[in-house]
Amino acid sequence: MLHDVFTPSVQHVLDIAGIFVFAISGALLAVRKNFDVFGIAVLAEVTALGGGLFRDLVIGAVPPAAFTDLGYFLTPLVAALLVFFLHPQVERTQFAVNVFDAAGLGLFCVAGTTKAYDYGLGLTASATLGLATAVGGGVLRDIVANEVPSLVRWDRDLYAVPAIVGASIVALCLRYDALNGYTTGLAIVTAFVLRLLAMRYHWRAPRAWNRRSAAAEDAA
């Protein structure tokens, strides 16, 4: 195995923190969609564990941590319970969903990249898996909630780009042996803030050059 980026305990803390904030976002979306308590728990679990499960399967960390660490499974249930009793009024939950989702995006793009690198992947592959870890749970959340995933919607603010930036910062720090607590925090905060700014100022990725069809706008 290549050199350990983080101690197992630090990696575990990053994973649990990302799982918790993603689970909060999934549970809040379930409340907004008027799901029952079981639906809230399911959406919290899917959102929290989907990206990490995909990452672990790709890098060969089997069985995945979601099935070997009870904390990984129970943390989304705790988040779902908190949301069930303490969620804000339904009409105000969308902002909270977006904020917690942005926090999870920042945490998971970093945790995913470092774990992939620690399992022997190259920098580019590690950053790619960091991206997949960050966006995978959100994609599954939207699918289960019967929504087109934000990741592929042209009319939604930048979602993958902040995760790509965060994962790239980690990859660069690994390349120059500069990954530590400060640079890790910088990568997390950068991805988080970029996502918030994208939502605030409605930054969107460009569509096809010289696009002629107006079908998407007409359908909307």
Side-chain angles (χ1 to χ4, degrees):
M1 181 180 296
L2 297 179
H3 101 290
D4 293 332
V5 176
F6 290 131
T7 63
S9 60
V10 173
Q11 182 72 56
H12 189 263
V13 168
L14 280 175
D15 277 345
I16 291 295
I19 284 170
F20 181 78
V21 293
F22 260 156
I24 290 287
S25 79
L28 284 172
L29 179 59
V31 170
R32 189 169 64 87
K33 301 286 285 188
N34 203 30
F35 287 8
D36 62 16
V37 62
F38 180 74
I40 293 172
V42 167
L43 211 59
E45 291 280 358
V46 166
T47 308
L49 301 179
L53 181 63
F54 174 78
R55 174 202 63 201
D56 287 351
L57 290 174
V58 170
I59 64 179
V62 291
F67 295 100
T68 59
D69 189 320
L70 190 61
Y72 282 57
F73 179 78
L74 293 180
T75 298
L77 295 182
V78 172
L81 191 64
L82 289 174
V83 170
F84 182 80
F85 288 107
L86 303 175
H87 70 87
Q89 295 182 358
V90 173
E91 62 270 19
R92 298 174 56 192
T93 58
Q94 184 57 54
F95 177 76
V97 169
N98 290 336
V99 170
F100 278 105
D101 188 70
L105 199 73
L107 284 164
F108 266 27
C109 72
V110 170
T113 303
T114 56
K115 186 169 184 179
Y117 185 78
D118 199 40
Y119 269 76
L121 272 67
L123 294 176
T124 301
S126 295
T128 301
L129 266 187
L131 168 64
T133 306
V135 304
V139 169
L140 289 175
R141 176 200 64 206
D142 292 343
I143 291 173
V144 173
N146 198 30
E147 294 190 353
V148 177
S150 299
L151 184 68
V152 297
R153 291 187 58 170
W154 71 269
D155 59 338
R156 292 297 175 89
D157 307 322
L158 293 178
Y159 187 71
V161 172
I164 292 172
V165 172
S168 298
I169 291 174
V170 173
L172 286 173
C173 289
L174 287 168
R175 170 65 178 81
Y176 295 104
D177 197 26
L179 191 66
N180 52 46
Y182 296 107
T183 54
T184 297
L186 173 65
I188 293 172
V189 171
T190 299
F192 175 64
V193 171
L194 279 177
R195 174 59 179 156
L196 292 182
L197 289 174
M199 291 188 293
R200 172 65 177 83
Y201 296 104
H202 303 297
W203 294 342
R204 294 169 184 171
R207 287 183 286 168
W209 179 257
N210 200 24
R211 181 175 175 275
R212 298 180 182 277
S213 173
E217 288 90 340
D218 294 341

